[in-house]
Amino acid sequence: MKRVNTILFLLFLLLGETVIAQNITITGVVSDKLGPVPGASIVVKGTKTGLTTDLEGRFSITVAPNAQLVISCMGYKPVTIDVKGSRHKEVTLHEMTQNLDEVVVVGYGSMKKRDITGAIVSVSAKDIESSQPIDLSTALQGKISGLDIMTSSEPGSSSTFRIRGTSTLSEGGSNPLFVVDGMEVDNIDDLNPRDIASVEVLKDAASTAIYGSRSANGVVIITTKQGESSKPRISVNYALTQSSISKTLPQMNRMQGLEYEALRSYMSGGKATSISRDSLNPMKIEDHNYQDLIFRTAYTHQLDASIAGAEKKVKYYLSLGYLGAEGIQINTYNKRLSSRINVTYDATPRLSIGSRIYLALTNQRKATSESRNRIFQRPANYPIYAPDGSFLENIGNISNPVAESVMGKNDYRKYTANIYEYIQYSFTKNLVLKSSIAANFNLEKYARFRPEILTTDKRRSAINKETLYSGWTHEDVLTYSKKFKSGHNMTLMGGFSLRESNVDVTGLSVTDNITDALEISNTFEGVNMNDTKATWSRNRMSSFFGRASYSYKSRYLFNSNLRYDGSSRFGRDNRWAFFPSVSLGWRFSDEKFLKWAQPVLHDGKLRVSYGVTGNQAAGDFASLGLYTTNYYADSPGIYPNQLSNVNLGWEETKQTNIGLDIMFLDGRISLNVDYYNKKTNDVLYKVPLPQTCGFSSSFKNVGDVENKGWEIAVSSDNIQTKNFSWSTNLSLSFNKNMIVSIPEGGRQIVNNVFLIDQGYAVGTIYGWKAKGIFPYTESNAFTPEWKQLTPVFDEKDHFVRYELDGKEYTGDIKKMTANNAVLEGGDVMWDDVNKDGVIDAEDRQVLGCGQPKVTGGFNNEFTYKGLTLSFFFTFAFGGDVYNAYEQIRSEHRWSSLNRGNPINIANSWKAPGDIAKFPRPIGTLAQDNTRAESSLWVEDGSYIRLKNIRLAYTLPKKWAKKIKMESVSVSAMMQNFFTWTNYSGFDPEVPGTGFAIGNDSRSYPRSKELLFGLNVNF
């Protein structure tokens, strides 16, 4: 028996040794293009056996000799390798262009990207920070199809956001809703881009309906950073930017100005005065280019530092940022100091408490509106300084442009505090309650001062105004989610919200300050009582909302949002409104009948959605009858200024969206296409009222606005090797806007040229069309059918006869008139729409539209090891710009001290027979050749801009560690250096306001920038 046991024991040892001999140990290193990748997952395929790489990216694992290893890491494409061959593996991971398991923030929750059924675009912190932006609008411009952002180079200026066109006729209602860490805010001007972890843009009604009444223009959700790793991470970023004006405009020099005076005098029937010809006159001998004096090379310093980490129960992110931005116009700047504290505390396994606090102090000086006007109005030969070195005062009611920029005060100081606190309790792993309260405070202090030297009547004036924006929001959200083993997933969410907003304004406006040394409303003699007052406003909203989501194996998807809102802004019978939406998704790439396409088709999803969203962009008391104050002499009084409208209600937008998402070749190529049809009903609109009623306008629910179009986004990893990669991204947006209906009497013309009427797009430019300039007085000759005749002259330029189609004409002759004056040689030949020979209001027509037909962006990025080169284009086609700048200085109707555009003057009519583009330079004629409502001032605003070229280098991780740093990168970038356009003004990208989309009126010039950046992480 002992012999048998011995044999069995020996056999057991032999079999054990055989089994052990069958296992092998594999070692290796996992890296990316920059170096080792710590924390990468190494899993034996088909099992749960695995481990993660260490800080140096190394791993060691014992497996069977025929096993396969799956190496993966968040943000990288997974790699599968065989263990056969060498027992040491060098594995290189490549970043994913599209990660379907990436979590996307949606309203009151989050979802995996693969389960999204609405039109949502997500932008990561990496994409935002790559352009070293000082504000978020600059970082997003041109990168998201369907999102049109109009920016300005003026430091601290607000940008205009439009998602899928303009869907309302309310002047204050076109911007989307901004949500920062769950808190609704009115603007994001002061937000530090370095604090942002991700931005989600919600474009269709299925995605935005959960926000109900404030989501008709789309929603932008911003999530800020928080700590993740257990080890504290310190990050320091510094950027230095040099800015200069990208384009200057033609301006008359001394001699051109004197010749212009002589020309105007001659054209008016006079002759040049002796002073105009006196080159020794002290008021005529200087020669200034005011653009060289007003605009400068400016510098911007941006310094940001942050620390983020996580302990056992606490996650934290703390940041401090400073921005000191000089404007390219002298004496303009924006300084911002900001701080953010984000903390999450897991008190128990079920209870979490979170806090988000943002504080900012902003000090901004804007240029006075007069300063840029005077650049082109004041003669170049006039002195700037008096003999004693002080600024020369006004001449002919035109102030000194340099004095305007230096001495004119136009200051804004802002204090911002946003606080968001929440508590979250998990009853079970599937049932979670989150209760939050948010408060925001924004105190804006405005100060304006006009010293004696800048005024015509030598009376100083000052304005001091304080505006306090405050509000709070309370929300309770209960979420139930369940994953079933059979592949079914379900999420139910319901919530309640209360919101209040307040605005308090206190203003003091005074005149006759006793000295220029006191630039505040103090020590004055007179008070402007119309601007000296205190006002207060408030609105409240109560809401109930919910969402139901279902998916089966992420193949069949369903989402539905419901919201029920009540607003204090509307009449009692219409305060509440219901905003539903539904969306469906089908991942057809997972169907069995498409298995044959899987080597090429990586993922494919079809999306369909429909929903209703709202807008409450009316005044806080828009439904009530209101009174206001006024003064007669020194006697105060009140009078009614707004009619009540108890039926005033919500503006509703109904939107249908059809989308297609396709990825090819393991995600290397992706295509996203969306078609949308968005119609806004019961538009909130200030309808003009007859003057006889005593009121100018009243808010009503009238009219319909429609937007429909296509959005296309393409991304591609063109080349991807161990050390080199090349990727491309393209976004395109096509939008068609139209006012479908408007009430009788609602037709308006804004700023003299922008038409609001049924059948036209918002931003339509309306006026008289110039067909040319009459070369001769005899050229104003037409047949009774209004066919133009050709005058014939002899060799001495004496008129001989008229011809029509090459044959002599002897019939009746008609002449065109304007303002009861017969048009002559050098006058504009207008398009006579109704063919009656009289140019009047009946001949006005559409001259263009400020809304472009196509917008987009195109980006290419090349990387070689740690070196990255990228260039990014933005473009817009089909939009027009009304050049109000040019119209003002080409009127020729003011005093001889005003100066015109030398190029336009060179192309103006001066003598009989001239073939010219512009009329004779006389502005006092009854014919009104240089009227504002003219096609002469409408230009094509299409452009292609090389937005930036960026070169960056990241040190290899092993080098960075030698100097005790986690990573170090440096970058250099050129921004706005190259723009291709036919527009003659400063820049075709004009920030639109209200209905005046494409109106270039005293706009701040575009700057071109050289930027140098340094990023260090510890």
Side-chain angles (χ1 to χ4, degrees), residues 746-802:
R747 184 178 187 268
Q748 289 190 53
I749 298 179
V750 180
N751 293 352
N752 296 322
V753 294
F754 289 94
L755 176 67
I756 304 172
D757 199 4
Q758 181 174 322
Y760 299 94
V762 177
T764 294
I765 305 172
Y766 195 68
W768 286 275
K769 182 179 179 180
K771 297 177 66 176
I773 308 298
F774 286 119
Y776 302 92
T777 298
E778 293 81 1
S779 300
N780 183 9
F782 298 84
T783 68
E785 293 78 25
W786 292 100
K787 293 182 178 180
Q788 189 176 14
L789 301 173
T790 303
V792 178
F793 299 86
D794 60 19
E795 64 278 1
K796 295 184 178 181
D797 290 334
H798 294 151
F799 173 72
V800 177
R801 65 181 182 276
Y802 284 110

Side-chain angles (χ1 to χ4, degrees), residues 258 261 272-281 283-284 382:
L258 297 178
E261 288 184 29
T273 62
S274 58
I275 191 171
S276 295
R277 295 190 298 267
D278 183 5
S279 61
L280 299 180
N281 187 311
M283 297 297 289
K284 299 288 184 178
Y382 277 16

Side-chain angles (χ1 to χ4, degrees), residues 277-475:
R277 295 190 298 267
D278 183 5
S279 61
L280 299 180
N281 187 311
M283 297 297 289
K284 299 288 184 178
I285 60 176
E286 297 191 20
D287 196 353
H288 301 293
N289 186 314
Y290 291 114
Q291 293 176 89
D292 291 342
L293 299 174
I294 295 297
F295 301 117
R296 64 180 174 182
T297 298
Y299 293 90
T300 296
H301 300 272
Q302 185 178 6
L303 179 62
D304 298 286
S306 65
I307 180 170
E311 301 296 336
K312 292 182 179 180
K313 294 185 176 182
V314 179
K315 294 181 180 179
Y316 58 89
Y317 174 84
L318 296 89
S319 72
L320 183 65
Y322 170 76
L323 172 69
E326 292 181 342
I328 56 173
Q329 183 170 346
I330 59 175
N331 203 29
T332 61
Y333 55 79
N334 182 48
K335 299 176 182 179
R336 182 185 69 210
L337 183 64
S338 63
S339 177
R340 178 172 294 279
I341 304 172
N342 291 350
V343 179
T344 302
Y345 174 59
D346 295 327
T348 71
R350 293 189 175 186
L351 179 65
S352 295
I353 301 172
S355 177
R356 307 286 185 265
I357 299 175
Y358 179 70
L359 305 173
L361 170 63
T362 303
N363 185 12
Q364 180 187 15
R365 169 159 289 186
K366 291 186 176 181
T368 63
S369 59
E370 297 86 355
S371 61
R372 286 191 295 279
N373 270 355
R374 303 302 186 239
I375 293 175
F376 303 108
Q377 291 179 336
R378 186 179 169 100
N381 50 273
Y382 277 16
I384 295 175
Y385 300 98
D388 63 358
S390 63
F391 284 115
L392 197 67
E393 58 188 20
N394 290 12
I395 300 176
N397 297 332
I398 300 178
S399 57
N400 185 332
V402 180
E404 276 283 0
S405 298
V406 174
M407 301 187 66
K409 182 178 180 180
N410 198 31
D411 292 356
Y412 295 81
R413 185 180 290 269
K414 301 177 184 178
Y415 306 85
T416 301
N418 294 331
I419 303 170
Y420 177 79
E421 309 286 336
Y422 74 87
I423 182 170
Q424 181 172 297
Y425 185 78
S426 301
F427 296 98
T428 67
K429 66 178 182 179
N430 300 322
L431 185 63
V432 179
L433 174 66
K434 184 177 182 180
S435 182
S436 65
I437 187 164
N440 61 83
F441 304 90
N442 190 322
L443 175 63
E444 180 182 282
K445 305 180 74 171
Y446 172 65
R448 174 180 169 88
F449 181 70
R450 300 284 293 167
E452 181 182 27
I453 196 174
L454 299 180
T455 61
T456 302
D457 56 8
K458 305 301 180 183
R459 300 181 65 185
R460 305 176 183 91
S461 63
I463 297 176
N464 288 92
K465 184 168 70 173
E466 291 190 0
T467 304
L468 174 61
Y469 302 91
S470 61
W472 57 266
T473 302
H474 170 70
E475 291 177 339

Side-chain angles (χ1 to χ4, degrees), residues 213 538-543 563-579 615-616 620-624 645-652 701:
S213 63
R538 172 187 292 170
N539 71 80
R540 289 174 174 171
M541 181 180 293
S542 179
S543 307
R563 182 144 179 152
Y564 190 54
D565 280 343
S567 173
S568 64
R569 289 182 168 179
F570 302 123
R572 293 183 178 179
D573 297 334
N574 290 307
R575 284 185 175 173
W576 290 89
F578 182 58
F579 304 102
N615 192 350
Q616 56 154 353
D620 285 347
F621 308 110
S623 65
L624 303 178
N645 182 1
V646 296
N647 296 316
L648 188 68
W650 296 90
E651 179 178 295
E652 289 188 344
N701 291 107

Side-chain angles (χ1 to χ4, degrees), residues 60 86 89 104 121 138 175 207 233 281 334 492 546 573 578 599 664 682 685 695 748 805 839 891 944 1005:
S60 176
S86 172
K89 305 294 183 182
V104 175
V121 178
T138 305
N175 267 349
S207 306
R233 178 187 174 95
N281 187 311
N334 182 48
L492 299 174
D573 297 334
F578 182 58
F664 301 99
D682 297 328
Y685 183 53
F695 299 90
Q748 289 190 53
D805 299 328
I839 303 303
E891 284 186 309
I944 301 175

Side-chain angles (χ1 to χ4, degrees), residues 810-866:
T810 58
D812 293 338
I813 296 175
K814 301 286 186 180
K815 290 187 178 293
M816 189 177 293
T817 64
N819 297 329
N820 297 319
V822 177
L823 300 179
E824 303 175 359
D827 290 336
V828 176
M829 181 172 65
W830 304 103
D831 186 11
D832 185 11
V833 176
N834 58 3
K835 304 299 181 184
D836 64 355
V838 179
I839 303 303
D840 54 20
E842 300 301 319
D843 297 308
R844 297 187 73 168
Q845 58 186 288
V846 174
L847 305 177
C849 182
Q851 295 197 50
K853 296 178 181 178
V854 184
T855 60
F858 178 64
N859 185 67
N860 275 273
E861 182 175 282
F862 304 86
T863 63
Y864 177 72
K865 294 185 177 180

